[in-house]
PDB file of all heavy atoms in Angstrom:
ATOM      1  N   ASP A 297     -24.985   9.661  15.761  1.00  0.00           N
ATOM      2  CA  ASP A 297     -25.613   9.713  17.071  1.00  0.00           C
ATOM      3  C   ASP A 297     -26.286   8.363  17.430  1.00  0.00           C
ATOM      4  O   ASP A 297     -26.469   7.466  16.552  1.00  0.00           O
ATOM      5  CB  ASP A 297     -26.814  10.740  17.012  1.00  0.00           C
ATOM      6  CG  ASP A 297     -26.260  12.189  17.019  1.00  0.00           C
ATOM      7  OD1 ASP A 297     -25.071  12.347  17.188  1.00  0.00           O
ATOM      8  OD2 ASP A 297     -27.088  13.074  16.926  1.00  0.00           O
ATOM      9  N   GLY A 298     -26.681   8.248  18.693  1.00  0.00           N
ATOM     10  CA  GLY A 298     -27.493   7.153  19.084  1.00  0.00           C
ATOM     11  C   GLY A 298     -26.728   6.044  19.771  1.00  0.00           C
ATOM     12  O   GLY A 298     -25.550   6.123  19.957  1.00  0.00           O
ATOM     13  N   PRO A 299     -27.468   4.941  20.156  1.00  0.00           N
ATOM     14  CA  PRO A 299     -26.824   3.844  20.920  1.00  0.00           C
ATOM     15  C   PRO A 299     -25.819   3.118  20.101  1.00  0.00           C
ATOM     16  O   PRO A 299     -25.799   3.267  18.861  1.00  0.00           O
ATOM     17  CB  PRO A 299     -28.063   2.921  21.254  1.00  0.00           C
ATOM     18  CG  PRO A 299     -29.181   3.397  20.435  1.00  0.00           C
ATOM     19  CD  PRO A 299     -28.919   4.816  20.067  1.00  0.00           C
ATOM     20  N   LYS A 300     -24.890   2.431  20.831  1.00  0.00           N
ATOM     21  CA  LYS A 300     -23.797   1.694  20.139  1.00  0.00           C
ATOM     22  C   LYS A 300     -24.334   0.673  19.093  1.00  0.00           C
ATOM     23  O   LYS A 300     -25.226  -0.074  19.351  1.00  0.00           O
ATOM     24  CB  LYS A 300     -23.074   0.840  21.198  1.00  0.00           C
ATOM     25  CG  LYS A 300     -22.143   1.609  22.072  1.00  0.00           C
ATOM     26  CD  LYS A 300     -21.432   0.561  22.980  1.00  0.00           C
ATOM     27  CE  LYS A 300     -20.685   1.376  24.063  1.00  0.00           C
ATOM     28  NZ  LYS A 300     -19.965   0.413  24.977  1.00  0.00           N
ATOM     29  N   PHE A 301     -23.653   0.659  17.960  1.00  0.00           N
ATOM     30  CA  PHE A 301     -23.870  -0.441  16.998  1.00  0.00           C
ATOM     31  C   PHE A 301     -23.278  -1.733  17.549  1.00  0.00           C
ATOM     32  O   PHE A 301     -22.164  -1.665  18.008  1.00  0.00           O
ATOM     33  CB  PHE A 301     -23.255  -0.135  15.634  1.00  0.00           C
ATOM     34  CG  PHE A 301     -23.977   0.917  14.844  1.00  0.00           C
ATOM     35  CD1 PHE A 301     -23.384   2.106  14.480  1.00  0.00           C
ATOM     36  CD2 PHE A 301     -25.197   0.679  14.308  1.00  0.00           C
ATOM     37  CE1 PHE A 301     -24.001   3.060  13.753  1.00  0.00           C
ATOM     38  CE2 PHE A 301     -25.863   1.612  13.500  1.00  0.00           C
ATOM     39  CZ  PHE A 301     -25.262   2.793  13.317  1.00  0.00           C
ATOM     40  N   ASN A 302     -24.013  -2.774  17.482  1.00  0.00           N
ATOM     41  CA  ASN A 302     -23.473  -4.066  17.874  1.00  0.00           C
ATOM     42  C   ASN A 302     -22.887  -4.938  16.735  1.00  0.00           C
ATOM     43  O   ASN A 302     -21.983  -5.713  16.926  1.00  0.00           O
ATOM     44  CB  ASN A 302     -24.516  -4.844  18.668  1.00  0.00           C
ATOM     45  CG  ASN A 302     -24.817  -4.225  19.953  1.00  0.00           C
ATOM     46  OD1 ASN A 302     -23.894  -3.807  20.645  1.00  0.00           O
ATOM     47  ND2 ASN A 302     -26.097  -4.153  20.334  1.00  0.00           N
ATOM     48  N   SER A 303     -23.548  -4.811  15.592  1.00  0.00           N
ATOM     49  CA  SER A 303     -23.042  -5.565  14.458  1.00  0.00           C
ATOM     50  C   SER A 303     -23.109  -4.702  13.173  1.00  0.00           C
ATOM     51  O   SER A 303     -23.940  -3.778  13.104  1.00  0.00           O
ATOM     52  CB  SER A 303     -23.888  -6.875  14.300  1.00  0.00           C
ATOM     53  OG  SER A 303     -25.231  -6.543  14.246  1.00  0.00           O
ATOM     54  N   PRO A 304     -22.295  -4.992  12.224  1.00  0.00           N
ATOM     55  CA  PRO A 304     -22.274  -4.250  11.017  1.00  0.00           C
ATOM     56  C   PRO A 304     -23.633  -4.207  10.216  1.00  0.00           C
ATOM     57  O   PRO A 304     -24.285  -5.233  10.210  1.00  0.00           O
ATOM     58  CB  PRO A 304     -21.274  -4.950  10.098  1.00  0.00           C
ATOM     59  CG  PRO A 304     -20.462  -5.854  11.032  1.00  0.00           C
ATOM     60  CD  PRO A 304     -21.364  -6.169  12.169  1.00  0.00           C
ATOM     61  N   PRO A 305     -24.025  -3.075   9.719  1.00  0.00           N
ATOM     62  CA  PRO A 305     -25.201  -3.073   8.878  1.00  0.00           C
ATOM     63  C   PRO A 305     -25.049  -3.982   7.672  1.00  0.00           C
ATOM     64  O   PRO A 305     -23.929  -4.080   7.161  1.00  0.00           O
ATOM     65  CB  PRO A 305     -25.286  -1.602   8.362  1.00  0.00           C
ATOM     66  CG  PRO A 305     -24.392  -0.795   9.239  1.00  0.00           C
ATOM     67  CD  PRO A 305     -23.408  -1.750   9.779  1.00  0.00           C
ATOM     68  N   GLU A 306     -26.069  -4.742   7.310  1.00  0.00           N
ATOM     69  CA  GLU A 306     -25.919  -5.701   6.287  1.00  0.00           C
ATOM     70  C   GLU A 306     -25.934  -5.124   4.870  1.00  0.00           C
ATOM     71  O   GLU A 306     -25.441  -5.680   3.955  1.00  0.00           O
ATOM     72  CB  GLU A 306     -27.016  -6.764   6.397  1.00  0.00           C
ATOM     73  CG  GLU A 306     -26.841  -7.687   7.640  1.00  0.00           C
ATOM     74  CD  GLU A 306     -27.988  -8.666   7.801  1.00  0.00           C
ATOM     75  OE1 GLU A 306     -28.808  -8.835   6.854  1.00  0.00           O
ATOM     76  OE2 GLU A 306     -27.981  -9.328   8.891  1.00  0.00           O
ATOM     77  N   ASP A 307     -26.575  -3.971   4.812  1.00  0.00           N
ATOM     78  CA  ASP A 307     -26.758  -3.310   3.456  1.00  0.00           C
ATOM     79  C   ASP A 307     -26.183  -1.913   3.474  1.00  0.00           C
ATOM     80  O   ASP A 307     -25.935  -1.322   4.519  1.00  0.00           O
ATOM     81  CB  ASP A 307     -28.252  -3.251   3.074  1.00  0.00           C
ATOM     82  CG  ASP A 307     -28.873  -4.597   3.164  1.00  0.00           C
ATOM     83  OD1 ASP A 307     -28.455  -5.458   2.366  1.00  0.00           O
ATOM     84  OD2 ASP A 307     -29.796  -4.801   3.986  1.00  0.00           O
ATOM     85  N   ARG A 308     -25.934  -1.340   2.350  1.00  0.00           N
ATOM     86  CA  ARG A 308     -25.589   0.035   2.250  1.00  0.00           C
ATOM     87  C   ARG A 308     -26.783   0.852   2.694  1.00  0.00           C
ATOM     88  O   ARG A 308     -27.905   0.520   2.558  1.00  0.00           O
ATOM     89  CB  ARG A 308     -25.325   0.396   0.814  1.00  0.00           C
ATOM     90  CG  ARG A 308     -24.082  -0.231   0.312  1.00  0.00           C
ATOM     91  CD  ARG A 308     -23.425   0.583  -0.850  1.00  0.00           C
ATOM     92  NE  ARG A 308     -22.133  -0.115  -1.070  1.00  0.00           N
ATOM     93  CZ  ARG A 308     -21.657  -0.427  -2.265  1.00  0.00           C
ATOM     94  NH1 ARG A 308     -22.371  -0.186  -3.340  1.00  0.00           N
ATOM     95  NH2 ARG A 308     -20.507  -0.947  -2.377  1.00  0.00           N
ATOM     96  N   SER A 309     -26.460   1.963   3.340  1.00  0.00           N
ATOM     97  CA  SER A 309     -27.562   2.860   3.904  1.00  0.00           C
ATOM     98  C   SER A 309     -27.497   4.184   3.123  1.00  0.00           C
ATOM     99  O   SER A 309     -26.473   4.763   2.984  1.00  0.00           O
ATOM    100  CB  SER A 309     -27.296   3.091   5.334  1.00  0.00           C
ATOM    101  OG  SER A 309     -26.935   1.923   5.986  1.00  0.00           O
ATOM    102  N   SER A 310     -28.682   4.639   2.779  1.00  0.00           N
ATOM    103  CA  SER A 310     -28.805   5.897   2.055  1.00  0.00           C
ATOM    104  C   SER A 310     -28.574   7.062   2.987  1.00  0.00           C
ATOM    105  O   SER A 310     -29.017   7.033   4.139  1.00  0.00           O
ATOM    106  CB  SER A 310     -30.154   5.997   1.430  1.00  0.00           C
ATOM    107  OG  SER A 310     -30.350   5.020   0.470  1.00  0.00           O
ATOM    108  N   ILE A 311     -27.891   8.083   2.495  1.00  0.00           N
ATOM    109  CA  ILE A 311     -27.666   9.271   3.287  1.00  0.00           C
ATOM    110  C   ILE A 311     -28.471  10.453   2.610  1.00  0.00           C
ATOM    111  O   ILE A 311     -28.442  10.617   1.458  1.00  0.00           O
ATOM    112  CB  ILE A 311     -26.165   9.624   3.276  1.00  0.00           C
ATOM    113  CG1 ILE A 311     -25.350   8.452   3.747  1.00  0.00           C
ATOM    114  CG2 ILE A 311     -25.906  10.866   4.111  1.00  0.00           C
ATOM    115  CD1 ILE A 311     -23.839   8.723   3.763  1.00  0.00           C
ATOM    116  N   TYR A 312     -29.163  11.210   3.530  1.00  0.00           N
ATOM    117  CA  TYR A 312     -29.970  12.314   3.100  1.00  0.00           C
ATOM    118  C   TYR A 312     -29.553  13.622   3.676  1.00  0.00           C
ATOM    119  O   TYR A 312     -29.084  13.685   4.804  1.00  0.00           O
ATOM    120  CB  TYR A 312     -31.459  12.034   3.382  1.00  0.00           C
ATOM    121  CG  TYR A 312     -32.052  10.820   2.741  1.00  0.00           C
ATOM    122  CD1 TYR A 312     -31.978   9.554   3.480  1.00  0.00           C
ATOM    123  CD2 TYR A 312     -32.623  10.928   1.481  1.00  0.00           C
ATOM    124  CE1 TYR A 312     -32.418   8.442   2.796  1.00  0.00           C
ATOM    125  CE2 TYR A 312     -33.123   9.797   0.864  1.00  0.00           C
ATOM    126  CZ  TYR A 312     -33.018   8.529   1.509  1.00  0.00           C
ATOM    127  OH  TYR A 312     -33.509   7.466   0.920  1.00  0.00           O
ATOM    128  N   SER A 313     -29.697  14.661   2.925  1.00  0.00           N
ATOM    129  CA  SER A 313     -29.584  16.022   3.464  1.00  0.00           C
ATOM    130  C   SER A 313     -30.825  16.775   3.146  1.00  0.00           C
ATOM    131  O   SER A 313     -31.147  16.849   1.886  1.00  0.00           O
ATOM    132  CB  SER A 313     -28.332  16.667   2.872  1.00  0.00           C
ATOM    133  OG  SER A 313     -28.218  17.982   3.180  1.00  0.00           O
TER     134      SER A 313
END
Side-chain angles (χ1 to χ4, degrees):
D297 286 355
K300 285 185 193 180
F301 285 115
N302 291 317
S303 54
E306 290 178 11
D307 303 297
R308 291 205 172 131
S309 312
S310 296
I311 306 179
Y312 298 90
S313 170

